[in-house]
Amino acid sequence: MKDVAAAAGVSLKTVSRVVNGESNVNDDLRSAVLESIAQLGFRRNASARELRQGRSGTIGLLLEDVADPFYSILSRAVEDVAREHGTMVFAGSSAEDADRERDLALAFCERRVDGLIIVPAGSSHSYLLPEMQAGIPVVFVDRPPGDIEADVILTDNRGGSRRGVEHLLAHGHRRIGFIGDAPEIYTAGERLRGYREALESAGIAFADELVTQAPPSAASTAEALDRLLGGPSPATALLCGNSRTTVSVLRELARRSTRLALVGFDDVELGDLLQPGLTVVAQDPGAMGAAAARLLFQRIAGGSPGPTAAPPQTVTIGTRLIPRGSGELAAP
Amino acid sequence: MKDVAAAAGVSLKTVSRVVNGESNVNDDLRSAVLESIAQLGFRRNASARELRQGRSGTIGLLLEDVADPFYSILSRAVEDVAREHGTMVFAGSSAEDADRERDLALAFCERRVDGLIIVPAGSSHSYLLPEMQAGIPVVFVDRPPGDIEADVILTDNRGGSRRGVEHLLAHGHRRIGFIGDAPEIYTAGERLRGYREALESAGIAFADELVTQAPPSAASTAEALDRLLGGPSPATALLCGNSRTTVSVLRELARRSTRLALVGFDDVELGDLLQPGLTVVAQDPGAMGAAAARLLFQRIAGGSPGPTAAPPQTVTIGTRLIPRGSGELAAP
């Protein structure tokens, strides 16, 4: 600012007035200041201001993988809410790695974000307690934190899964398979629970050979389908626990020219254009991201934590069953 | 740090040694310091450090829409390269709005990013010159900047489009339509140019009634197909200029139970599972993001700009034609 004042031949106070948009500045002086700002490339220094005001106007968003459509839609929704609050978003992907989650979360904190939104990869989050006590609110999304209490936005995984199985039961199926992600992933466990509950309510015994829990891959899917379709009493229907598994199952079924009644948990683009169309239990990642961001900004506005702060909230967002054909194939 | 030292009953120097990971500290003192750090929630202050070192360890990434799969894959690739450089990524979506692009880019600069990667929405970028002169390198991706010279990473739009049309010509088509995005979008213009060049090389006259250029929407697609299929000499094949239009065309064709040889520019998930499979000219958004980030970090490492700096580069990344059925339907 001193350089700008010197170049424009005005006082430091005049530069400050122009920069802060005050109206009590002579037009010629204002022009001179603006011109020397343009020449010198003067930029307001957010870091210096931040140190004075104690707020950085940034939040951190930690996803499993921003390239996954579910998380990219969630991410855009967070960004839109942040924008309403004049706040920038740091985004990072944990790649389902607890160490990487921790490194990223702490790196965001070190950059003094005003708050964090985290899709947890790890199962322990006590490493965040010092940050939370220092006044950085944290909202978890998609999965709850491991060993701390905090705000969390979830899908109704169990209810959605139950609804998917009930839909298949209603179309006459009794041998219904389930292929889900690794059991240590919260959403995978909940969705399996919903599957069990629906079978139980219908008086159908749980059959180990109809259930596979593994990280989605072409190989694990092929193996799971071998088991489901190979035995003396093969499955006639399948609930896929996540969209990556659904895509993998669709590819494998196409390769085998096999049909199977199918409901996917989570929607996929073009699901309506397949033959038959893909029936899904749809989540709403946009609503989840927006809810997480709104809750975070409420916490940021609420000031420092402590006994007077509002207790942690769990927000559960419902699912929608979208019938398109694959889930309505009748049992043989 | 003073509070930590007081709580631990040690000198400020000891706290500093522990925080900076130096080994010449007595184990008991180290434990005392770590304990009081945990109690006080002491955090290293990245802002203060940044003001000393002049680099923030952050970059800004400005996309059209992070929820679009093309940009979310590009985004993840940028993040992975940034991670190798210990750098965090600010991400933002311009939503194809020039003012929003400018606001976000300048907000990133105000937060003192070390560099910017921009998918430009607007056609004028001289607003970035003061930032670039102040030492913030900028790499454009997907589309070139408007009125400044800068590094840019592009897809070979014209070549890819030409190749798609040549593929349709090779299958006997002579009436080939083109539906692309609004003509003011750089990639849309280049793809139309490739379409024209391929027809010209084959000695086929350009026909206005076979070309539509509009932002993708269900309504504009339906109208375009009416024109393509309605006249006395209807189109038998179609090149779709972008994936949103392709999806929209596929929906409309399914609704009409019409078949048309089809090549889409840009791949879509599940394109292989449609019947027929979707033939595409695939871009590589991961390679584009990685190339943009690598070039940016080269520029950041290279120091301040000026007459000695390396001149701006244009990197053009090739496309791949993936035949899956829809583009191989023979002309009637």
Side-chain angles (χ1 to χ4, degrees), chain A residues 43 46-47 49-50 57 65 72 76 79 83 89-91 93 100 110-111 131 136 251 272 275, chain B residues 43 46-47 49-50 57 65-66 72 76 79 83 89-91 93 100 110-111 131 136 251 272 275:
Chain A
R43 292 174 299 149
S47 302
R49 210 182 41 195
E50 164 192 339
D65 178 5
S72 67
R76 175 63 196 268
E79 186 196 327
R83 187 173 142 80
V89 181
F90 278 119
S93 305
R100 187 159 168 177
E110 207 192 314
R111 281 171 177 82
E131 309 297 336
I136 299 188
R251 293 222 163 92
D272 58 324
Q275 287 169 347
Chain B
R43 293 172 299 147
S47 302
R49 209 182 40 192
E50 166 193 336
D65 178 5
V66 74
S72 66
R76 175 64 195 269
E79 186 196 326
R83 187 174 141 80
V89 181
F90 279 119
S93 306
R100 186 159 167 178
E110 206 191 315
R111 281 169 177 83
E131 308 297 335
I136 300 188
R251 294 221 164 93
D272 58 326
Q275 287 169 349

Side-chain angles (χ1 to χ4, degrees), chain A:
Chain A
M1 279 176 77
K2 274 184 204 158
D3 296 340
V4 170
V10 303
S11 71
L12 207 54
K13 197 155 201 170
T14 302
V15 176
S16 165
R17 281 189 184 132
V18 172
V19 168
N20 291 314
E22 292 173 28
S23 58
N24 53 345
V25 185
N26 173 298
D27 277 353
D28 287 346
L29 291 185
R30 184 185 305 277
S31 303
V33 168
L34 291 175
E35 200 165 295
S36 66
I37 284 175
Q39 274 163 11
L40 292 169
F42 167 82
R43 292 174 299 149
R44 278 163 63 196
N45 188 326
S47 302
R49 210 182 41 195
E50 164 192 339
L51 285 175
R52 285 199 306 273
Q53 300 185 345
R55 199 165 280 177
S56 67
T58 62
I59 60 171
L61 171 63
L62 220 159
L63 305 162
E64 196 243 308
D65 178 5
V66 73
D68 181 310
F70 178 81
Y71 294 115
S72 67
I73 293 169
L74 192 153
S75 177
R76 175 63 196 268
V78 168
E79 186 196 327
D80 287 347
V81 174
R83 187 173 142 80
E84 290 166 15
H85 291 81
T87 294
M88 301 280 123
V89 181
F90 278 119
S93 305
S94 69
E96 211 67 90
D97 174 334
D99 290 340
R100 187 159 168 177
E101 174 207 304
R102 186 193 153 103
D103 288 352
L104 272 167
L106 293 178
F108 288 156
C109 290
E110 207 192 314
R111 281 171 177 82
R112 302 189 85 73
V113 290
D114 300 329
L116 282 175
I117 295 175
I118 299 182
V119 175
S123 57
S124 168
H125 296 89
S126 46
Y127 74 86
L128 283 169
L129 282 175
E131 309 297 336
M132 292 166 78
Q133 277 155 12
I136 299 188
V138 181
V139 174
F140 290 85
V141 62
D142 195 38
R143 310 165 183 173
D147 47 11
I148 62 171
E149 288 207 14
D151 294 315
V152 58
I153 314 292
L154 301 173
T155 284
D156 180 12
N157 292 290
R158 203 189 298 194
S161 189
R162 208 165 44 217
R163 183 189 257 179
V165 173
E166 284 164 0
H167 188 74
L168 292 167
L169 288 166
H171 287 82
H173 298 278
R174 290 295 170 269
R175 297 285 289 170
I176 301 173
F178 177 82
I179 308 182
D181 208 328
E184 58 272 20
I185 292 178
Y186 167 81
T187 49
E190 285 296 297
R191 291 172 196 174
L192 177 63
R193 219 160 276 145
Y195 164 85
R196 290 186 88 122
E197 287 175 6
L199 291 183
E200 211 166 277
S201 300
I204 297 175
F206 179 85
D208 261 335
E209 72 273 18
L210 295 182
V211 171
T212 299
Q213 287 185 286
S217 76
S220 71
T221 299
E223 214 175 292
L225 284 177
D226 283 343
R227 286 176 63 207
L228 279 175
L229 302 174
S233 173
T236 61
L238 175 61
L239 177 69
C240 279
N242 59 76
S243 61
R244 276 179 256 185
T245 299
T246 305
V247 169
S248 189
V249 162
L250 288 170
R251 293 222 163 92
E252 189 61 24
L253 290 177
R255 207 181 59 77
R256 300 180 185 209
S257 308
T258 304
R259 270 202 176 189
L260 194 63
L262 184 66
V263 174
F265 201 111
D266 207 11
D267 206 358
V268 294
E269 186 163 32
L270 298 197
D272 58 324
L273 288 175
L274 300 176
Q275 287 169 347
L278 180 68
T279 297
V280 295
V281 176
Q283 304 187 78
D284 192 338
M288 294 174 78
R294 278 197 209 103
L295 190 49
L296 186 70
F297 282 103
Q298 274 174 35
R299 296 293 186 190
I300 293 171
S304 52
T308 58
Q313 296 180 19
T314 297
V315 178
T316 303
I317 295 182
T319 59
R320 231 162 17 110
L321 188 126
I322 307 176
R324 295 194 188 116
S326 72
E328 293 75 53
L329 297 175

Side-chain angles (χ1 to χ4, degrees), chain B residues 311-322:
Chain B
Q313 295 180 20
T314 297
V315 179
T316 303
I317 296 182
T319 59
R320 231 162 18 108
L321 189 127
I322 308 177

Side-chain angles (χ1 to χ4, degrees), chain B residues 3-331:
Chain B
D3 296 341
V4 170
V10 302
S11 70
L12 207 53
K13 196 155 203 171
T14 303
V15 176
S16 164
R17 281 189 184 130
V18 172
V19 168
N20 292 313
E22 293 173 27
S23 57
N24 54 344
V25 184
N26 173 298
D27 277 353
D28 287 348
L29 292 186
R30 183 186 305 277
S31 305
V33 168
L34 291 175
E35 200 165 296
S36 66
I37 284 176
Q39 275 164 9
L40 292 170
F42 168 81
R43 293 172 299 147
R44 279 161 65 195
N45 188 326
S47 302
R49 209 182 40 192
E50 166 193 336
L51 285 175
R52 284 199 306 274
Q53 298 185 345
R55 199 166 281 179
S56 66
T58 62
I59 59 171
L61 171 62
L62 221 160
L63 305 162
E64 196 244 306
D65 178 5
V66 74
D68 180 308
F70 178 82
Y71 294 115
S72 66
I73 293 169
L74 191 154
S75 177
R76 175 64 195 269
V78 167
E79 186 196 326
D80 287 346
V81 174
R83 187 174 141 80
E84 291 166 17
H85 291 82
T87 294
M88 301 280 123
V89 181
F90 279 119
S93 306
S94 69
E96 210 66 89
D97 174 333
D99 290 339
R100 186 159 167 178
E101 173 209 302
R102 187 193 154 103
D103 289 351
L104 273 166
L106 293 178
F108 288 156
C109 291
E110 206 191 315
R111 281 169 177 83
R112 302 189 82 74
V113 291
D114 299 329
L116 282 175
I117 295 176
I118 298 181
V119 175
S123 57
S124 168
H125 295 91
S126 47
Y127 73 87
L128 283 169
L129 281 175
E131 308 297 335
M132 293 167 78
Q133 277 154 12
I136 300 188
V138 181
V139 174
F140 290 85
V141 63
D142 195 38
R143 309 166 185 174
D147 47 11
I148 61 172
E149 287 207 14
D151 293 316
V152 58
I153 314 291
L154 300 173
T155 285
D156 179 12
N157 292 291
R158 203 189 299 194
S161 189
R162 208 164 43 215
R163 183 189 255 177
V165 174
E166 283 163 1
H167 187 75
L168 292 166
L169 288 167
H171 286 83
H173 297 279
R174 290 295 170 269
R175 297 285 289 170
I176 301 173
F178 176 82
I179 308 182
D181 208 329
E184 59 272 19
I185 293 179
Y186 167 81
T187 50
E190 286 295 297
R191 292 172 196 173
L192 177 63
R193 219 159 277 146
Y195 163 85
R196 290 186 88 122
E197 286 175 5
L199 291 183
E200 210 165 280
S201 300
I204 296 176
F206 179 85
D208 262 333
E209 72 273 18
L210 295 181
V211 172
T212 299
Q213 288 185 285
S217 77
S220 71
T221 300
E223 213 174 293
L225 284 176
D226 283 344
R227 286 177 62 208
L228 279 175
L229 302 173
S233 172
T236 62
L238 176 60
L239 176 70
C240 279
N242 60 76
S243 61
R244 277 180 255 184
T245 299
T246 304
V247 169
S248 189
V249 163
L250 287 169
R251 294 221 164 93
E252 188 61 24
L253 290 178
R255 207 181 59 76
R256 300 180 186 208
S257 308
T258 304
R259 270 200 178 191
L260 194 62
L262 184 65
V263 173
F265 201 110
D266 207 9
D267 206 358
V268 294
E269 186 163 32
L270 298 197
D272 58 326
L273 288 173
L274 300 175
Q275 287 169 349
L278 180 68
T279 297
V280 295
V281 175
Q283 304 188 78
D284 191 339
M288 293 173 79
R294 280 197 208 104
L295 190 49
L296 186 70
F297 282 104
Q298 275 174 35
R299 296 292 186 193
I300 292 171
S304 52
T308 59
Q313 295 180 20
T314 297
V315 179
T316 303
I317 296 182
T319 59
R320 231 162 18 108
L321 189 127
I322 308 177
R324 296 195 188 115
S326 72
E328 292 76 54
L329 297 175

